[in-house]
Amino acid sequence: MSYTINPDREKPWNGLPELPIEENYYRDLDILEQLGESKAAIAKLQGRSVAIPNQAILINTISLQEAKASSEIENIFTTDDELYKAFSDDPANLKQGAPKEILYYRESLWKGHRYLRETGSFDIKYFELIYRTITGLNDGIRKPFAQTHIRQGGSGPNAGKTVYTPPRGEGIIESKMENFIQFMNDDTLFPIDPLLKMAIGHLQFEAIHPFRDGNGRTGRIFNINFLTQKGLLDFPILFLSKYILQNKESYYAYLAGVTQRAAWKDWILFMLKAVENTSIDTFHKINDILSVKDAILHVLEKETEISRPDSLVEAIFTQPFTKVKHLTDKKLYAENTARQYLNRLHEMGICERREINGGHYYLNLELYRILAS
Ligand SMILES: Nc1ncnc2c1ncn2[C@@H]1O[C@H](COP(=O)(O)OP(=O)(O)OP(=O)(O)O)[C@@H](O)[C@H]1O
Ligand SMILES: [Mg+2]
């Protein structure tokens, strides 16, 4: 099967070819070499993550970073401080705004993860679930004749010009989604390495562009959920969007390379490289967090009379900002003791006490530094 080139980027590309793509890509030596590196890196990350005593800790903080980076690709910005503060409060009380949108992203990541655990495979409901959670919208697949174009962003000479127009028309998105979903689920009919499937699948999903908004973020959540669904990782900890954010221009250019010129090779190499770099990066972050955590525990055990220091350390590594309430909710300490201990951490330079809107928050300085780096 040969890949048809999109004839006109202003017109809906109803000729978008179904998957799989041409066979020669699966035998391309550059792709295979990079695939080997990427697989090794993600396997190493998975190996490290199973050794973490309390996985919830890292997953909480790392998925928050993923949510922040992916949202920034779509120009939803917030400062780390604002985000961490929002994260340590009750999300139900949050006003609409960037921190809330980012928490929606994180919620979607988890909803998707659990959905796949329960159902075992991708289906259209999975994508609608992610889309709705992320955008807060209630509809589903785009209406057959709704106008949707992907335009060049930024302020350069081509800003505002159409880069690509996704397919539309009665039943067209539905049937392309069906093919895409079958490709992702069926490893007998499509026996292709999961990392290659993820790279190809992400592009196909963006090219179908089934929703009126949120396709970029939905597609990036899909990447991570796919990796856990295929067993490459136990938990959605790969922080892929950071790499995409740092290479945003390339991300758009390679997407357009496929939808305009069928340039699959560059796209696949880009995504495989993203997996390799991010796996290495996440691996180091996990190591750094664990060793700092151990060091702090050691100091508390040696230099203080704090009771249950291990639980206190677990608690301050569950999110960057800790509040007295976090400790009392867990029934760890009485309120006065909890406050006294957190103040002690502040005096020792482990946490920094901050007053925000009349409430006290204790920022875990080392955790904050590692996450931000
Ligand atoms: N040439 C292209 N071909 C296919 N998909 C593209 C192309 N250029 C960009 N995209 C995808 O479209 C996404 C933007 O679509 P959409 O607006 O629906 O998503 P979003 O998550 O809401 O992002 P935004 O908030 O920026 O609109 C990008 O993040 C990217 O994944
Ligand atoms: Mg959008």
Side-chain angles (χ1 to χ4, degrees):
M1 197 192 329
S2 93
Y3 203 87
T4 350
I5 291 187
N6 185 7
D8 184 351
R9 57 183 86 152
E10 299 286 347
K11 291 217 178 88
W13 194 21
N14 290 356
L16 170 70
E18 299 211 327
L19 298 176
I21 60 171
E22 284 167 66
E23 245 185 55
N24 55 320
Y25 292 108
Y26 313 128
R27 288 194 295 264
D28 182 280
L29 287 182
D30 299 325
I31 290 180
L32 288 176
E33 191 178 330
Q34 179 58 55
L35 179 63
E37 305 287 332
S38 308
K39 281 164 82 92
I42 198 168
K44 192 171 162 198
L45 172 62
Q46 166 61 11
R48 187 68 191 91
S49 73
V50 290
I52 301 167
N54 181 354
Q55 296 211 356
I57 292 184
L58 279 172
I59 294 161
N60 251 338
T61 42
I62 288 185
S63 63
L64 194 63
Q65 290 295 310
E66 163 64 25
K68 180 168 181 270
S70 185
S71 302
E72 278 179 14
I73 298 170
E74 316 304 344
N75 297 318
I76 300 165
F77 292 97
T78 184
T79 61
D80 279 348
D81 283 29
E82 260 181 326
L83 178 62
Y84 296 155
K85 178 189 170 297
F87 181 48
S88 57
D89 293 331
D90 183 358
N93 299 335
L94 276 180
K95 289 194 286 291
Q96 200 63 41
K100 185 153 191 151
E101 288 206 42
I102 293 170
L103 293 179
Y104 279 159
Y105 183 95
R106 192 171 162 282
E107 192 187 327
S108 310
L109 195 64
W110 280 101
K111 272 197 183 164
H113 181 69
R114 283 194 297 269
Y115 183 89
L116 294 168
R117 281 266 153 105
E118 281 158 24
T119 65
S121 58
F122 289 94
D123 56 17
I124 196 74
K125 286 210 184 91
Y126 161 85
F127 290 97
E128 286 177 341
L129 174 73
I130 303 295
Y131 161 72
R132 289 185 186 135
T133 311
I134 243 178
T135 58
L137 299 168
N138 272 322
D139 59 347
I141 295 216
R142 279 186 281 124
K143 294 278 166 294
F145 298 102
Q147 302 272 338
T148 303
H149 302 275
I150 296 175
R151 296 187 204 282
Q152 179 88 39
S155 53
N158 291 324
K161 287 214 177 113
T162 301
V163 180
Y164 172 67
T165 304
R168 66 165 174 256
E170 205 61 64
I172 290 196
I173 298 176
E174 286 80 354
S175 78
K176 292 194 189 296
M177 280 301 285
E178 203 175 301
N179 162 260
F180 155 70
I181 288 169
Q182 192 191 22
F183 175 78
M184 300 316 300
N185 283 333
D186 194 335
D187 293 330
T188 312
L189 200 55
F190 306 107
I192 295 161
D193 185 275
L195 288 183
L196 291 179
K197 271 199 177 180
M198 185 199 81
I200 297 164
H202 181 78
L203 198 137
Q204 188 74 359
F205 178 79
E206 297 307 326
I208 300 171
H209 227 71
F211 304 115
R212 65 182 152 115
D213 195 15
N215 297 285
R217 285 163 289 163
T218 302
R220 290 189 293 275
I221 286 181
F222 157 77
N223 289 339
I224 299 169
N225 283 166
F226 180 75
L227 295 175
T228 55
Q229 204 261 339
K230 292 289 177 201
L232 277 79
L233 293 171
D234 286 343
F235 291 100
I237 53 169
L238 193 69
F239 182 14
L240 215 49
S241 293
K242 183 184 166 196
Y243 184 87
I244 295 179
L245 176 67
Q246 285 168 344
N247 298 279
K248 189 170 159 170
E249 297 312 317
S250 310
Y251 174 59
Y252 289 136
Y254 291 134
L255 280 164
V258 177
T259 56
Q260 291 169 10
R261 291 174 273 107
W264 278 100
K265 181 169 171 174
D266 290 341
W267 166 258
I268 292 171
L269 287 172
F270 173 76
M271 284 303 276
L272 290 178
K273 195 89 203 142
V275 170
E276 183 192 358
N277 278 20
T278 316
S279 296
I280 294 172
D281 201 64
T282 311
F283 177 85
H284 289 308
K285 269 201 164 68
I286 290 179
N287 277 342
D288 289 352
I289 293 174
L290 292 177
S291 63
V292 162
K293 190 168 154 263
D294 279 351
I296 291 178
L297 177 60
H298 189 70
V299 170
L300 294 188
E301 282 172 342
K302 248 181 102 187
E303 295 179 14
T304 73
E305 298 302 311
I306 285 174
S307 71
R308 299 162 75 187
D310 50 337
S311 305
L312 178 63
V313 172
E314 293 278 295
I316 64 169
F317 277 86
T318 305
Q319 68 288 302
F321 273 125
T322 303
K323 300 201 292 188
V324 168
K325 193 170 176 303
H326 291 149
L327 306 182
T328 55
D329 280 355
K330 285 193 184 126
K331 309 243 182 300
L332 209 50
Y333 309 109
E335 193 180 326
N336 277 341
T337 313
R339 179 167 300 110
Q340 190 196 327
Y341 285 173
L342 287 173
N343 283 331
R344 186 70 204 277
L345 295 179
H346 167 73
E347 284 155 19
M348 294 174 80
I350 294 170
C351 290
E352 188 178 284
R353 186 175 59 221
R354 295 209 185 153
E355 199 176 318
I356 309 170
N357 305 331
H360 283 120
Y361 296 79
Y362 295 81
L363 177 64
N364 181 336
L365 291 170
E366 283 296 311
L367 178 61
Y368 184 80
R369 181 188 59 76
I370 295 166
L371 289 175
S373 70

